[in-house]
Amino acid sequence: MNRHKEQFHALSGDLIEFKPLEMKDVPAVHAFASDPAVSRFIGWKQMGSIEETEEHVQTLIGREVEGTHLYSSIIRKSSQTVIGTVILFNFDDEANQAEIGYVIGQSSWGNGFGTELAALVSGFGFRTLGLHKLRAEVVDANIGSLRILAKNGYEQEGRLRDHYFIEGCYHDAIMLGRITPIPGK
């Protein structure tokens, strides 16, 4: 299915822009994927070596080629450096919805990049793909991500108790969603 991949890769805001995820991004991805503070809440294990990160990036690129996921590297405009990755996935064509996910390197936290990337992806999902709903699943302890999504109109829809086991502790999964904005409201 055509998911407007080229348009997703070309999204741009005031602070950040997207570009296709490429193997040349592996060192930048490894910098945040190997950081325990970043990797603890992102849904994949902390990368221990550059080779693990290479395999991981190859898997992500393969999923996009298959048409099941959209991935982009997040570029900080002021420095033209890769600061994270963003994903649109778990497409449900019948219900006309998808899931958003992202990861940003710790050195770029607190600068508005996450809020802007969620706005860019949400706008793309609703306007370009014509989705009815966007969803996100966030570890309850990931306060930064919960704030980013709330600022972008995502509301808590549910909680899966003790859904994650991270660093010897159980954490709830917070289910969030946003419905297509109704024109004029």
Side-chain angles (χ1 to χ4, degrees):
M1 174 176 218
N2 178 5
R3 301 221 193 264
H4 301 277
K5 180 170 55 173
E6 292 77 20
Q7 288 173 284
F8 185 72
H9 293 157
L11 292 176
S12 182
D14 293 333
L15 304 171
I16 60 169
E17 60 192 8
F18 294 175
K19 74 167 197 68
L21 180 62
E22 303 170 284
M23 291 306 294
K24 71 180 183 179
D25 298 334
V26 167
V29 171
H30 185 70
F32 56 80
S34 63
D35 180 345
V38 175
S39 64
R40 67 189 293 222
F41 297 136
I42 58 177
W44 32 270
K45 71 178 186 97
Q46 179 181 339
M47 300 293 146
S49 69
I50 195 82
E51 293 79 19
E52 280 183 300
T53 305
E54 284 175 355
E55 288 177 30
H56 182 69
V57 170
Q58 284 176 338
T59 298
L60 303 182
I61 292 170
R63 289 177 183 161
E64 188 170 66
V65 168
E66 292 168 4
T68 60
H69 296 64
L70 290 173
Y71 286 100
S72 282
S73 290
I74 304 165
I75 307 299
R76 182 181 194 156
K77 281 186 163 184
S78 64
S79 63
Q80 287 298 298
T81 56
V82 174
I83 61 166
T85 59
V86 60
I87 176 178
L88 199 53
F89 66 119
N90 285 340
F91 289 93
D92 181 335
D93 294 328
E94 186 175 341
N96 199 26
Q97 51 186 268
E99 187 170 346
I100 177 178
Y102 47 85
V103 58
I104 296 175
Q106 187 174 187
S107 64
S108 296
W109 291 354
N111 293 297
F113 302 130
T115 300
E116 186 169 89
L117 82 83
L120 290 169
V121 174
S122 298
F124 172 81
F126 293 130
R127 288 189 297 274
T128 304
L129 298 182
L131 296 174
H132 172 69
K133 181 178 182 177
L134 285 167
R135 312 177 303 281
E137 181 178 308
V138 180
V139 176
D140 62 353
N142 191 345
I143 303 302
S145 192
L146 291 169
R147 286 185 185 143
I148 286 167
L149 292 164
K151 287 179 189 176
N152 277 280
Y154 288 76
E155 297 177 3
Q156 182 173 331
E157 297 182 331
R159 176 183 294 264
L160 300 175
R161 297 194 54 196
D162 290 350
H163 188 70
Y164 298 104
F165 190 72
I166 302 168
E167 298 172 350
C169 297
Y170 286 101
H171 291 273
D172 294 353
I174 306 299
M175 313 305 288
L176 301 117
R178 180 175 168 193
I179 306 294
T180 303
I182 299 170
K185 287 193 176 189

